[in-house]
Each structure stands twice: as C-alpha cells, then as structure tokens.
Amino acid sequence: GAGVSQTPSNKVTEKGKYVELRCDPISGHTALYWYRQSLGQGPEFLIYFQGTGAADDSGLPNDRFFAVRPEGSVSTLKIQRTERGDSAVYLCASSLGFGTGELFFGEGSRLTVL
Amino acid sequence: SQKIEQNSEALNIQEGKTATLTCNYTNYSPAYLQWYRQDPGRGPVFLLLIRENEKEKRKERLKVTFDTTLKQSLFHITASQPADSATYLCAPRKGGATNKLIFGTGTLLAVQP
C-alpha cells in the first residue's frame, strides 16, 4: 500500500529484553517521526528525522531508546533492557519535510512488556 | 515548558448538534495549528490546518478558529453524526526549521444517535 507501514503490529516481550520496531514511510517523504502513546493520552514526541539524520531527539526518555534511519527511508526504533513502563503504542509518521506539511501516521506497534 | 490542554473529559452530544472542542496552549507561539482525528486502535489522521494570520478555516462540516491573543483554538463539527465519534487531537506548531509536532491529550467525542 501507499501508507506508512509499521511492523510488528503487536509485540509482547519480557522485562530486560531488546526490542526493535520498524517503520516504512511513504515513498518520497523526507521527514519521519516516532511517537509513543499510552492509553488515554495524546501521542508523545520521541524523535524526528530529516533525511538520514536525527533533527530532534529531545523526546527520547533515556539512553535505552535509540532510533536509526540509515538510508533516509526505513527507520528502526530500538529499545534496550525493556521495562514494564515502556509498554505503549509506538506510532510512526512521515511527511514531505519542512513546512506546514501534515503528518501521515501508521497504525502503530503495540508493545507489551511483561 | 510548552503546554497544550484539551477538554479532559469526554464530550457527549446528540446527533445533529454542533460539537465544540477546545485547545489551549501556553508558553508557545505557534505559527500554525493542526487538528487530527484518531479512532480506537488506529493512527491519527490529519483534518485541518490553520495559520496564525487566519481567524477561521472551514472544510465541509468542520470549522476551526485560532485566537493567538487567547492562545486558543476551537474546533467545531456542525450537524454531528455518530460516525464523528472519535478522539480529536490538536497540535500547535512553531513552523520554520523546528519541525517537531507536539500533540495535546485529545478530547473524546461521542455523538449519540
């Protein structure tokens, strides 16, 4: 399809494990965003990329969280030593880049840490 | 720090009435503001954008206002339908080189038939 694709849609893991979440943005979109959403809350900004570089990573909660976008397209959010508090829906969005452009969101990856 | 507040309680209205949702922001001077709709289990979907020099924007049954003095945006849905039931998120944006988009907590709208 032509939309933002996120995998896996659901991930259950144990506390302390390593997790990778993948985002495939809309073709041609240079900006890519990661958000985290807990139940009843709005999306919480984590990081955004312009091309291959992280333009703003001020939302990453701590050094267990890391994201890459090596070729300026697909991005991977990596979480080390997962904790129960990391359980949330992780949303990815892409847009055409700078300016007023709307964000196109994927359906999210639901992470559950037991 | 920047703060965005939306009606924390769910808004219940009768079909056919106008729904009005509020977005207030502080410590912020957004160049424009976006509204999104989110259905359960889905990602947000863009609805409307309004710029700081625009007082009002319309799209079909939707109307958005932007008051930079009050630091507030109002989002109206006229002739509401049960299919309008969803969570609505506002996102004031600084614009320019800062492309980070911060969302409010969202307001859950329930339109009763």
Side-chain angles (χ1 to χ4, degrees):
Chain A
V4 176
S5 176
Q6 291 189 247
T7 55
S9 54
N10 274 290
K11 175 72 177 179
V12 180
T13 191
E14 293 179 343
K15 181 173 177 288
K17 298 291 188 182
Y18 170 81
V19 164
E20 286 191 355
L21 306 175
R22 175 189 165 109
C23 174
D24 202 338
I26 292 172
S27 178
H29 281 191
T30 58
L32 184 145
Y33 304 75
W34 283 100
Y35 288 84
R36 177 169 70 175
Q37 188 172 29
S38 301
L39 194 64
Q41 300 296 312
E44 174 193 6
F45 172 80
L46 296 177
I47 185 171
Y48 100 87
F49 291 88
Q50 183 62 35
T52 60
D56 189 331
D57 64 357
S58 61
L60 294 177
N62 51 59
D63 61 7
R64 295 188 298 106
F65 288 75
F66 190 70
V68 295
R69 195 186 185 198
E71 298 177 359
S73 178
V74 171
S75 176
T76 304
L77 179 65
K78 309 180 181 196
I79 310 174
Q80 298 177 320
R81 305 183 303 280
T82 52
E83 299 177 356
R84 292 195 179 87
D86 298 336
S87 296
V89 175
Y90 289 81
L91 293 164
C92 177
S94 69
S95 75
L96 282 170
F98 289 118
T100 62
E102 64 186 272
L103 268 58
F104 293 82
F105 280 85
E107 302 291 44
S109 292
R110 179 176 297 279
L111 175 65
T112 303
V113 182
L114 301 177
Chain B
S1 62
Q2 299 162 353
K3 196 174 178 183
I4 304 163
E5 291 183 336
Q6 297 187 248
N7 313 65
S8 56
E9 295 183 7
L11 182 63
N12 291 285
I13 65 166
Q14 208 66 32
E15 183 176 7
K17 300 292 186 184
T18 296
T20 298
L21 286 66
T22 305
C23 175
N24 294 295
Y25 56 92
T26 55
N27 299 324
Y28 222 137
S29 295
Y32 53 96
L33 189 148
Q34 298 182 351
W35 282 89
Y36 288 75
R37 168 183 172 141
Q38 187 173 26
D39 290 284
R42 310 296 297 273
V45 175
F46 173 81
L47 295 175
L48 275 172
L49 176 150
I50 186 165
R51 300 174 192 275
E52 60 180 340
N53 60 352
E54 297 175 313
K55 295 296 182 188
E56 182 180 296
K57 198 82 167 280
R58 291 175 185 262
K59 180 182 175 184
E60 298 172 351
R61 294 183 297 110
L62 308 180
K63 184 179 88 171
V64 173
T65 62
F66 193 9
D67 189 324
T68 55
T69 301
L70 291 178
K71 294 186 178 295
Q72 181 182 80
S73 176
L74 298 179
F75 179 84
H76 307 271
I77 305 175
T78 58
S80 59
Q81 304 166 359
D84 295 326
S85 299
T87 295
Y88 291 85
L89 300 157
C90 77
R93 196 168 194 179
K94 279 191 173 182
T98 303
N99 222 28
K100 181 166 80 174
L101 191 63
I102 305 297
F103 286 87
T105 53
T107 297
L108 176 61
L109 172 67
V111 181
Q112 309 298 331

